[in-house]
Amino acid sequence: MAGRLKDPRRNWYSISVDTLRTLGVLLVAAGLLLVGARYFHQWEQKALAREASRVIDEARGKLDAYEQIAGADQRKVFEEARGLITEAEAAYRKESYRAAIESAKRARATLGSLFEIPSDSGKGAANFVTVQGTVEFRRGENGDWQPAKSRISLEPGDYVRTSSGSAEIVFADGTFYTVRANTLFIVASVRGADGGEEQSIRMDYGWVDLSTRTKPSQIATPGAQARVRESSEAFVSYDREAGKGRFGAVRGGLDLASSTGLKRSVGELEQVVQSGGQLSAAESLPGVPRLSEPADQLEVDFDPGLDRREAGKLALGWEPVSGATHYALQVGRNHLFVDNVIDVASRTKTRATLGVRGEGNFVWRVAAVDSDGVQGPWSEARKFRVAAVSGGSGDGGDASGAVARRAAPDRTPPQLDLEDIKPYGTVLIVGGKTEPGARVSINGEPVEVDLDGSFNKAIQMSREGWSTLEIRAVDSDGNPKILHRKVFVGAS
């Protein structure tokens, strides 16, 4: 009809309340997502900033710690690490935290390549300290045999083999091994009585001497297992062809179990003999001889112009050991007694006279042997030095042609150079060189010095964190040379 009123709802759309409610929820959710994303980004940036700060601080701390013990040949590496840390700090200030982390990690890895065992080395890892003669190692069952050198690391599953050589090896827990010639063993890591990891080796054949520190150490032979107690000195030998082993304690003790279930406790200066799966009762070892003459570090003059029959003589003497019927005597040119000039086990007297026929630096030691042929521990080692002189038998000489050197004392301190200090958990391996004949100690602990003056020493630190090493060398005239090095000790 012409007069019909227009519908006021025309061109309007009808929207339900449910639809409006859904749209409202979506808008709120979108707003929350935007707010959440903003706060997540802020949280992520703060987390990256904390991580970057931590890694930069760690790299800077390593730089400060290791730079004090670096050799001149390592300065280039330190400059590279310092540059990377500077890059990391600049990226941090620009809030480029990922770049800062990457640069700091590269700096840390650069420093670690010089001083640290790789982080995946495992708890059973060990390090060669000193190597003399032919010593080899192999990575696992299928690796190639390689020459061993000082500071090469060993992992669980690695093999060590000596033929005509000998080596000193330190484990991360401070256990120190001297591996004698003709020995083969595998580095292992086993579960201890308390459920924790303990250092271990599995011997195939040969002889090892070891000393433990704050933790026990385990040694297995075919058919027997020994657990050397903490703070002990012991030895283990195994003859593969005869199927026999020896387990002895010089200090402290060890606990022994065979594959047949037999158990033995071995105390100080005792040993147990293994034969297959059988174990003997503990029996006493001969005592340790005390050396009497000459004094350690004696210097002897030698006149090369004399006839060999008139050459000088040097007497070596030691105190008798109760129950000993004869003695073993070794005179060598290094403290591991490889390629000895004298190696006998039949001395019935407590004295031996050496013919002095040439120059050189020498070291000697003695062990007692009882009536059953059981040899006890070696004595301390002493050194003497023979130097040629001209002009007859020398001032104050005698018909022997050899006299103790009595030159006027000088007042010049001995040479003392540190070549390397390698942190290894709570153990530090310190290498260096002094003049031949000088005595060296580190934090009061005596150091075995080779006859050419070089030394490598594994030092067990009592605590983690910053410590100071005092390295002292004293020459034959009593002149001291002292070095101090600040070191950082981390956990193993």
Side-chain angles (χ1 to χ4, degrees):
M1 117 179 135
R4 180 181 298 174
L5 296 175
K6 293 182 178 181
D7 188 346
R9 294 176 300 175
R10 188 177 181 182
N11 298 326
W12 283 49
Y13 294 92
S14 175
I15 302 175
S16 69
V17 173
D18 290 341
T19 302
L20 289 174
R21 185 179 294 112
T22 301
L23 289 173
V25 170
L26 290 175
L27 289 173
V28 171
L32 291 174
L33 285 174
L34 290 173
V35 172
R38 179 180 178 183
Y39 278 103
F40 175 79
H41 177 72
Q42 292 177 349
W43 174 86
E44 183 184 38
Q45 286 295 96
K46 289 181 180 179
L48 288 171
R50 288 194 297 270
E51 176 65 9
S53 178
R54 184 189 68 81
V55 179
I56 291 172
D57 287 345
E58 184 176 328
R60 175 65 69 180
K62 289 182 181 295
L63 181 74
D64 293 342
Y66 295 156
E67 191 170 20
Q68 300 182 50
I69 60 176
D73 59 336
Q74 298 169 327
R75 293 298 172 188
K76 184 177 180 180
V77 177
F78 275 93
E79 290 305 319
E80 179 183 350
R82 183 180 286 106
L84 289 169
I85 293 173
T86 300
E87 288 181 11
E89 292 172 338
Y92 184 90
R93 288 191 294 269
K94 295 178 181 179
E95 299 185 358
S96 300
Y97 300 127
R98 296 184 188 278
I101 292 171
E102 181 64 26
S103 295
K105 284 184 175 180
R106 288 169 56 198
R108 188 175 61 184
T110 299
L111 294 167
S113 67
L114 285 178
F115 291 101
E116 296 182 339
I117 302 296
S119 59
D120 61 350
S121 60
K123 295 182 179 180
N127 252 27
F128 284 102
V129 178
T130 307
V131 175
Q132 292 283 351
T134 303
V135 179
E136 299 172 300
F137 73 99
R138 187 178 76 186
R139 301 294 188 195
E141 294 287 345
N142 301 316
D144 296 326
W145 287 105
Q146 305 174 56
K149 297 179 181 179
S150 175
R151 293 173 177 78
I152 286 179
S153 64
L154 295 166
E155 312 293 345
D158 289 350
Y159 288 72
V160 174
R161 179 175 69 184
T162 63
S163 52
S164 59
S166 182
E168 293 173 324
I169 298 174
V170 64
F171 280 77
D173 66 354
T175 300
F176 194 85
Y177 280 83
T178 300
V179 187
R180 301 195 192 183
N182 300 313
T183 298
L184 173 66
F185 69 80
I186 306 170
V187 178
S189 185
V190 298
R191 188 71 61 184
D194 60 356
E197 294 278 339
E198 288 187 0
Q199 308 300 339
S200 175
I201 66 171
R202 299 198 308 270
M203 290 185 64
D204 191 22
Y205 59 85
W207 186 305
V208 296
D209 301 289
L210 71 151
S211 61
T212 60
R213 297 296 182 105
T214 58
K215 295 181 180 180
S217 187
Q218 298 194 34
I219 304 179
T221 63
Q225 176 88 25
R227 187 172 188 265
V228 181
R229 302 166 197 161
E230 62 271 17
S231 303
S232 296
E233 294 181 28
F235 65 84
V236 176
S237 69
Y238 187 76
D239 185 332
R240 182 173 58 185
E241 293 183 1
K244 292 187 176 182
R246 290 178 63 197
F247 300 80
V250 179
R251 176 175 58 86
L254 60 90
D255 300 297
L256 185 61
S258 75
S259 57
T260 58
L262 293 175
K263 294 184 178 181
R264 296 287 186 267
S265 178
V266 183
E268 188 166 314
L269 286 179
E270 290 184 341
Q271 76 164 5
V272 166
V273 177
Q274 171 199 358
S275 181
Q278 302 301 310
L279 301 176
S280 72
E283 57 185 24
S284 297
L285 289 170
V288 182
R290 289 189 58 184
L291 306 184
S292 56
E293 61 173 326
D296 194 20
Q297 306 286 359
L298 178 75
E299 294 191 30
V300 175
D301 286 332
F302 156 70
D303 187 348
L306 293 176
D307 185 89
R308 290 178 64 88
R309 292 172 297 179
E310 300 175 348
K313 298 183 183 299
L314 178 65
L316 308 178
W318 56 93
E319 296 179 5
V321 174
S322 177
T325 59
H326 51 288
Y327 299 89
L329 169 65
Q330 290 183 333
V331 180
R333 294 182 179 273
N334 58 73
H335 76 276
L336 291 180
F337 290 90
V338 176
D339 295 329
N340 296 321
V341 295
I342 294 176
D343 195 341
V344 296
S346 57
R347 300 292 307 179
T348 56
K349 298 180 180 180
T350 58
R351 186 179 177 87
T353 303
L354 306 181
V356 180
R357 299 186 178 91
E359 294 183 273
N361 298 303
F362 301 91
V363 60
W364 67 286
R365 63 183 182 179
V366 177
V369 184
D370 66 17
S371 58
D372 295 324
V374 176
Q375 180 176 309
W378 288 104
S379 69
E380 64 170 339
R382 286 190 181 180
K383 304 179 184 67
F384 62 90
R385 183 182 181 188
V386 179
V389 296
S390 59
S393 61
D395 295 338
D398 54 31
S400 70
V403 296
R405 183 186 295 269
R406 292 186 178 88
D410 63 33
R411 297 288 180 250
T412 304
Q415 165 200 358
L416 180 57
D417 299 318
L418 292 184
E419 298 172 353
D420 192 15
I421 300 179
K422 184 173 184 178
Y424 185 53
T426 56
V427 176
L428 298 176
I429 301 178
V430 184
K433 191 165 187 177
T434 185
E435 69 179 37
R439 293 181 175 88
V440 175
S441 63
I442 300 177
N443 286 1
E445 187 173 336
V447 175
E448 192 68 54
V449 181
D450 278 338
L451 298 170
D452 63 355
S454 62
F455 60 87
N456 280 289
K457 177 69 173 179
I459 298 292
Q460 176 74 53
M461 306 301 290
S462 59
R463 60 186 178 85
E464 298 177 13
W466 287 101
S467 296
T468 300
L469 293 181
E470 180 183 272
I471 304 94
R472 177 188 294 265
V474 181
D475 64 17
S476 57
D477 290 310
N479 300 307
K481 178 67 176 291
I482 302 173
L483 300 177
H484 292 92
R485 291 292 184 272
K486 191 176 182 181
V487 295
F488 185 84
V489 180
S492 59

